[in-house]
Amino acid sequence: MAKKPAESADGVAKVLELIKENGVEYVDLRFTDPKGKWQHTAQHVSTVDADTLKDGFMFDGSSIAGWKAINESDMILQPDLDTAVMDPFAAKPSLILFCDIIEPATGQGYARDPRSTAKKVEAYVKSTGIGDTIFIGAEAEFFIFDSVKFGTGGNFGTYQLDSIEGPGSSLKDYPEGNMGHRPAVKGGYFPVPPVDGDSDLRAEMLSAMGEMGLPIEKHHHEVAQSQHELGTRFNSLTKMADQMQIYKYCVHNVAHSYGKTATFMPKPIYGDNGSGMHTHASIWKAGKPLFAGNGYADLSEMCLYFIGGVIKHAKAINAFTNPATNSYKRLIPGFEAPVLLAYSARNRSASCRIPYTTSPKAKRVEVRFPDPTANPYLSFAALAMAGLDGIKNKIHPGDPMDKDLYELPPEELKGIPTVCGSLREALQSLEADHEFLLQGDVFSKEQIESYIEIKWKEVYRFEHTPHPVEFEMYYSA
């Protein structure tokens, strides 16, 4: 297990200078819990000096689901000084620092800390000699609503979503009048304003990400009504997971500032497309891209083995890449959802797609089944470990599928494996198939078990709660 990192004097000096230059009043220590939610605690600047930046800050880990018991709750938030960035949404000048979780008794990284797991994947890639860098690019889609109401109880369960783009909005009265410009169902990809009414909102989200140091690229409306996507440049695995936390933070806060609300829930709207987090992966060594070659779609044998590992372990890694009960309302045929475990060049109906490129440096595999409820550190780590297992054991994915997989006749579909159909199935698959995650001590058995325990609680709550649709179907039975 990784030991507590020694922060360099240079790194400390840079952070202290940043604090001075920006008149920082609070240092916001951020970390990620097992579910993927960004957590924080803020230190007044008077408590921050060279020693605390090097030694870290004590905190109580017992209140974080899946972490410490109350009798062993003391833990250390160890700032990663290279991540220092100003918070553009704070009323008082605040500096954000990403933190790793350290065990005080041993000075080692905490086995259940998602960010530490991501770092261990990167170390494992180097230790195997397969490569020295694994790059990840992630495309997280999301919905923006004007109002969200929901609640459950012993004798009720309800939700109501409202959006100026959404179902029924064409007949509503608005203070400024109903202008009638909005995307049709499945018509959001992608007309210009005024049909695309949130173009300026997305631009502000993307610019906020740029202010926070993300290498920004693009923004656009997505297929569904009220659905959107922003694009940032790929990065090494841990840094890409860090980027995804900033991505979500900016999306939520900019939407909030507009009086709107954003969600990364995969399937909030019945009958329309859900939100995915297509994840691109490639491995490099000594500045050379290792996924480019002379095989199918100009892929290397290594890349094909990586795909083979992803397909073999897909059901197990679904527990990390698709960790919500709602995830499996997206993973159904007919909504561009990549249910079938096959690979293909450019074919978006395959779960593993090879994007077209003429540059060997851009050669990569796009895994299309993940969604943005995933903890990015654990999702990227699990995906990488599945692919690395494929490389180590030379797991070939078989022949590519260049047909439209949604139009295949039943006899051809029989031989194609699928992703899980429920979170229950994903957790059972992870329980049965997780040895590949333990290689190189990247994941630990107790980490996987505690994660599964958290997720089983969600499954039980979901399965035991009556649903409004059930009243429509069965009340008069």
Side-chain angles (χ1 to χ4, degrees):
M1 191 179 293
K3 289 187 176 181
K4 177 179 173 180
E7 297 294 351
S8 69
D10 185 48
V12 170
K14 285 181 180 178
V15 170
L16 293 175
E17 184 61 27
L18 199 58
I19 290 172
K20 182 179 178 182
E21 284 178 0
N22 291 279
V24 169
E25 295 185 34
Y26 293 92
V27 173
D28 211 42
L29 306 172
R30 304 280 176 100
F31 64 98
T32 299
D33 69 16
K35 290 186 177 183
K37 190 67 179 173
W38 221 12
Q39 309 279 355
H40 81 132
T41 178
Q43 292 285 137
H44 188 265
V45 70
S46 62
T47 70
V48 179
D49 55 24
D51 288 337
T52 53
L53 288 174
K54 286 187 290 186
D55 297 337
F57 299 81
M58 298 300 297
F59 83 109
D60 176 5
S62 65
S63 296
I64 304 300
W67 279 7
K68 290 288 191 174
I70 197 164
N71 62 315
E72 50 176 9
S73 61
D74 289 340
M75 306 181 82
I76 297 172
L77 284 170
Q78 180 64 54
D80 182 339
L81 303 184
D82 290 336
T83 65
V85 63
M86 293 299 296
D87 185 347
F89 304 106
K92 294 290 186 179
S94 298
L95 182 77
I96 293 171
L97 286 170
F98 283 75
C99 294
D100 299 315
I101 310 301
I102 305 298
E103 287 273 20
T106 63
Q108 294 182 323
Y110 182 42
R112 301 186 193 182
D113 172 30
R115 194 168 189 267
S116 296
T117 301
K119 286 185 170 182
K120 285 187 280 189
V121 175
E122 295 182 297
Y124 178 62
V125 172
K126 293 178 183 178
S127 72
T128 61
I130 290 172
D132 54 35
T133 310
I134 180 162
F135 286 112
I136 299 290
E139 305 168 340
E141 298 164 341
F142 57 93
F143 283 82
I144 296 174
F145 299 114
D146 294 291
S147 175
V148 176
K149 301 175 184 178
F150 56 84
T152 60
N155 64 337
F156 72 94
T158 183
Y159 72 92
Q160 187 173 352
L161 310 176
D162 188 34
S163 166
I164 199 167
E165 286 190 5
S169 57
S170 60
L171 294 175
K172 290 181 180 177
D173 292 322
Y174 294 98
E176 67 278 11
N178 195 325
M179 304 303 177
H181 297 292
R182 56 182 55 84
V185 174
K186 295 186 178 292
Y189 199 82
F190 28 55
V192 298
V195 174
D196 180 3
D198 285 325
S199 183
D200 290 339
L201 173 57
R202 288 196 310 272
E204 192 165 332
M205 290 172 173
L206 198 63
S207 293
M209 293 176 194
E211 287 179 40
M212 295 188 73
L214 270 59
I216 57 177
E217 292 189 335
K218 62 184 179 181
H219 72 83
H220 62 83
H221 203 291
E222 259 299 338
V223 174
Q225 294 173 326
S226 311
Q227 188 186 32
H228 307 269
E229 184 182 316
L230 314 174
T232 62
R233 187 173 169 80
F234 67 90
N235 215 322
S236 54
L237 189 146
T238 302
K239 288 181 179 178
M240 189 66 223
D242 289 347
Q243 284 183 202
M244 190 50 59
Q245 297 298 65
I246 291 175
Y247 182 110
K248 289 185 173 183
Y249 185 64
C250 289
V251 166
H252 283 306
N253 279 281
V254 173
H256 191 75
S257 73
Y258 273 69
K260 294 177 181 283
T261 175
T263 181
F264 290 91
M265 186 175 175
K267 190 78 168 184
I269 300 293
Y270 171 72
D272 213 338
N273 287 46
S275 292
M277 185 175 68
H278 303 157
T279 302
H280 301 248
S282 64
I283 298 175
W284 288 51
K285 189 173 186 179
K288 179 183 177 183
L290 302 183
F291 278 12
N294 300 317
Y296 171 79
D298 296 324
L299 297 179
S300 66
E301 194 172 52
M302 177 186 287
C303 184
L304 289 171
Y305 291 149
F306 186 96
I307 293 169
V310 169
I311 290 175
K312 177 181 178 180
H313 298 296
K315 285 181 179 286
I317 63 176
N318 278 157
F320 295 107
T321 59
N322 308 90
T325 57
N326 185 255
S327 297
Y328 300 89
K329 290 179 168 59
R330 165 184 169 254
L331 290 176
I332 55 176
F335 294 91
E336 297 188 19
V339 177
L340 298 171
L341 293 169
Y343 74 102
S344 176
R346 305 173 68 179
N347 185 348
R348 293 177 186 270
S349 63
S351 61
C352 293
R353 186 177 78 99
I354 314 304
Y356 175 75
T357 178
T358 58
S359 170
K361 292 183 177 180
K363 190 59 68 176
R364 63 199 187 277
V365 57
E366 175 192 5
V367 183
R368 294 176 61 81
F369 54 77
D371 71 57
T373 54
N375 181 325
Y377 301 98
L378 299 181
S379 175
F380 300 161
L383 196 62
M385 291 301 288
L388 290 167
D389 187 64
I391 293 170
K392 286 179 63 180
N393 292 296
K394 298 184 177 180
I395 303 170
H396 199 281
D399 295 331
M401 293 293 295
D402 290 329
K403 302 175 183 178
D404 182 348
L405 299 178
Y406 299 139
E407 300 298 327
L408 287 183
E411 59 270 17
E412 287 190 57
L413 281 172
K414 285 181 182 177
I416 303 176
T418 65
V419 296
C420 290
S422 67
L423 183 55
R424 169 180 282 274
E425 184 184 358
L427 296 177
Q428 290 171 335
S429 298
L430 179 59
E431 288 173 338
D433 176 25
H434 58 258
E435 287 298 322
F436 69 99
L437 296 171
L438 305 179
Q439 300 302 306
D441 295 323
V442 173
F443 285 78
S444 71
K445 201 166 184 66
E446 62 150 353
Q447 176 188 24
I448 294 171
E449 289 172 351
S450 67
Y451 178 85
I452 289 173
E453 183 180 356
I454 291 171
K455 288 297 168 181
W456 270 123
K457 291 177 182 178
E458 296 177 15
V459 171
Y460 292 151
R461 184 179 180 193
F462 173 72
E463 292 182 348
H464 291 129
T465 304
H467 191 284
V469 167
E470 292 178 302
F471 284 86
E472 290 185 3
M473 294 191 294
Y474 308 125
Y475 186 75
S476 298

